[in-house]
Amino acid sequence: MTETLSLQALNRATLARQMLLARQKLPVGEAVQLLFGMQAQEPKPPFLGLWTRVDGFQASDLHAALHDRSIVRATMMRATLHLMTAADYTAFRTAMQPMLHGALRVLGDRAKGLDLEKVVPAARSLLDGGPLTFNEVRAQLQERFPDVNDRALGYAVRLCVPLVMVPTQDRWSFPRTPQFTPAGTWLGEEPAADEAVDELVLRYLAAYGPASAADAQTWSGLASTGEALERLRPGLRVFTDDKGRELFDLPDAPRPGEDVPAPARFLPEFDSLVLAHADRRRVIADAHRPMLTTKNLRVRAVFLWDGFARGIWETEYKRKVAALRMRPFEPLPRAAVDELTAEGEALLRFLEPAAKETVVSVESS
């Protein structure tokens, strides 16, 4: 008989793999490898995501890894920017390409006249001359393809040319308008020719499992993950969730008991944990999901207490005072407020080391 895993069990299993049951003492590259990508739509959130997971993490650790090219920021899962180890990027970038080509559909009528067989080589030639911002890429391609929408040109290059973002000395390692360069030039190695979807799915399960075929597809954007799970089924553990859906997992992956304590934690905006499953109840209740995303599709920062998302948070820094405000979905017990306040004060000291005062508050829900 197939074992059924409760939401609490799924929560603890996923938190264990995401280093959210206890901070881990390990190098930043190893942490990013274990997390198998960190959503990086903006430069700052991955720094906070690593601080909340890695014991003793310093911003300089990630900054150095980006500059020594062992970690890259590039378009990957769901056609969005992620931090990946250089090894994982080269191993799995090709697996993303069918999804990335499919994402061009959002261009609609703006894709009129867009010929990838001409645009992609032209873009590669431009970028082989040195790093460029996408404003520069669009402008130069528009000169060559004047009848094609400039935004369509830029989007096609972003999705169809393997590029990485060039780090700078900015505080969070990237400026507002960054430069991009070909991945092969930056890393000295082109992405592998093999799509390696089966290995990608195994790495996903290691970082986010147990998970369903729908979960894997939601995380990656790839329709082929279900087929990969079927191929891999003989070597996997199979469970069901509380709704009878199949969940797959690595046989030896951690699945701690439901009663394992989960400490208070703050997740940054766009954190991959809240985006990695079709059924996200293992992290956030369905009733609270509408509050997770803004109208302009920003994914808000959430805080966890007893393992689950209990509200959103934001910070402000004025006159040497660093403030963190929590907006809980429902009233919090006193124990939660105390734990979150202590964790929030530590987070503020990381974010604003020059602050003379830190203030953590909870708004009425």
Side-chain angles (χ1 to χ4, degrees), residues 22 48 90 110 145 171 200 244 273 279 302 326 352 355 363 365:
L48 307 191
T90 55
R110 290 179 296 169
F145 305 100
R171 182 181 180 193
L200 178 124
L273 177 62
D279 181 359
V302 300
M326 290 180 275
E352 305 296 348
E363 295 184 1
S365 56

Side-chain angles (χ1 to χ4, degrees), residues 2 37 65 89 91 128 141 156 165-166 178 186-187 189 219 224 236 238 272 279 309 339 347 362:
T2 305
Y89 178 82
D128 282 343
L141 286 176
M165 196 177 291
V166 179
W186 186 252
L187 299 174
E189 179 182 4
W219 167 81
S224 58
L236 299 176
V238 180
S272 294
D279 181 359
E339 288 184 40
L347 173 57
V362 181

Side-chain angles (χ1 to χ4, degrees), residues 73-120:
R73 185 180 174 205
T75 299
M76 285 291 284
M77 288 73 76
R78 302 181 303 281
T80 56
L81 288 167
H82 279 73
L83 284 193
M84 303 286 291
T85 65
D88 282 344
Y89 178 82
T90 55
F92 299 110
R93 172 59 176 76
T94 300
M96 296 292 119
Q97 197 55 58
M99 173 270 298
L100 296 172
H101 270 114
L104 291 171
R105 290 192 297 268
V106 303
L107 292 173
D109 293 342
R110 290 179 296 169
K112 182 180 179 180
L114 179 65
D115 185 342
L116 293 179
E117 292 186 1
K118 295 180 179 178
V119 170
V120 168

